[in-house]
Amino acid sequence: MGSSSGGGAVDAVVLVGGKGTRLRPLTLSAPKPMLPTAGVPFLSHLLSRIRAAGITHVVLGTSYQAEVFEEHFGDGSALGLELEYVVEDEPLDTGGAIRNVYDRLRGDDVVIFNGDILSGTDIGSLVDTHRCSGADVTLHLQRVADPSRFGSVPTDADGRVTAFLEKTQNPPTDQVNAGCYVFRRGVVGAIPAGRRVSVERETFPGLLEAGAHVHGFVDDSYWLDVGTPETFVQGSTDLVRGVAPTAALSGPRGEALHLSGATVAADAEVTGGSTLGADSVVGTGARVESSVLFDGAVVEAGAVVERSVLGAGSRVGEGAVLRGVALGDGAIVGEDCELLDGARVWPKVELPRGAIRFSSDA
Ligand code: GTP
């Protein structure tokens, strides 16, 4: 840990083994933390922030498409990290995944991260809070505008967590579980081994019931769960525009990020923090706004693409309109099609000219 915390080494664990079902069809070809986001795998942004906080030993708990993480990040030395991989043969859920890395932990405390959160919280302060309060577990609690969409986590005047509440219309607090925790190492060892355990539904309520000290680190900096196509696009555009924090990107931020070989017709418009993947093409008169084109995606002449993500090698035909859409890799949308909010097209599916689909899977 950075010198400010002054309490010895801290490990980081990143949970990256989920199937990412809410992000299908994008997660059919790559696990959610590996999806290209502002030109690099999503996980790079989190790893860069872990490194910037002075933590160097990072264990990835993997399961779904486990091998692709090591293929890309290797031993982590290029990022100044020492990366280890622990693979679950069967997914163990969040708590089971944390228990499964227990024998790799070296420090007294470990910071656990969900691998699908884009966050600006101060990791050093989170660890300092944990150590100063002497807690067994400290949770990053995020203040959100609409807490009714999440389970909420109230705290008392001393910052101790008093309950884990299910979603309700009128939650008593705007603090929600932000998917980032500091555990004492011994608390990890006490999670049952070798079976599925949900840290949110089983471990945390169990700790409270047993009288453990569960502390809250309340924060209201940037925070986004990129688990759905809508929030994935939001996170990507926020990174490109410099709204979301990362240490993985250099250079100025702006309206668009063009990766190598991307070509844009002189009269096309690309705005709103869009990313154009390598060798992607935006044709004459086309408009791409607040969207993500993976490598080799093509937007043909006069098409409009807003708040959408286009998988690798996918194609949007002339004059088509896509708003709030996710296209799988290699999907083809015919000329003059109109696809609106929530529509998802599976990899390699071809929609004929003029097909109109609203919020349905193809
Ligand atoms: P959805 O299927 O869309 O809900 O996504 P998900 O599978 O990623 O689940 P969720 O968003 O609830 O997971 C939160 C974090 O925990 C993500 O970073 C997941 O990768 C991770 N995760 C979820 N289940 C497991 C698991 O069984 N094993 C491991 N290692 N990680 C998991």
Side-chain angles (χ1 to χ4, degrees), residues 13-24 27 31-33 42 46 60-64 69 86-88 90-98 100-101 113-117 179 181 196-197 199-201 225-228:
V13 170
V14 188
L15 304 180
V16 292
K19 290 204 168 97
T21 48
R22 289 168 298 153
L23 252 179
R24 284 181 187 159
T27 44
K32 179 166 48 175
F42 180 77
L46 174 56
L60 297 189
T62 67
S63 174
Y64 177 65
F69 293 96
V86 176
V87 183
E88 296 147 43
E90 290 298 324
L92 292 170
D93 205 344
T94 44
I98 296 169
N100 201 44
V101 305
F113 298 87
N114 280 359
D116 54 357
I117 303 289
Y181 328 105
R196 288 180 67 84
V197 178
V199 75
E200 300 88 353
R201 286 187 297 280
D225 171 347
V226 301
T228 66

Side-chain angles (χ1 to χ4, degrees), residues 214-277:
V214 181
H215 210 80
F217 175 78
V218 179
D219 196 18
D220 56 7
S221 50
Y222 183 95
W223 181 81
L224 187 70
D225 171 347
V226 301
T228 66
E230 299 73 34
T231 56
F232 176 75
V233 169
Q234 174 81 50
S236 181
T237 58
D238 283 351
L239 283 163
V240 170
R241 292 185 304 131
V243 175
T246 179
L249 301 179
S250 52
R253 311 294 162 74
E255 283 297 291
L257 175 65
H258 297 208
L259 299 178
S260 74
T263 53
V264 182
D267 62 350
E269 270 178 49
V270 181
T271 58
S274 296
T275 296
L276 303 183

Side-chain angles (χ1 to χ4, degrees), residues 13 95-103 105 108-112 136-137 182-193 203 207:
V13 170
I98 296 169
R99 177 62 179 85
N100 201 44
V101 305
Y102 176 63
D103 65 359
L105 303 179
D108 294 336
D109 299 293
V110 50
V111 193
I112 319 268
D136 295 300
V137 173
V182 190
F183 274 60
R184 267 189 214 273
R185 193 154 70 105
V187 177
V188 174
I191 297 172
T203 309
L207 282 168

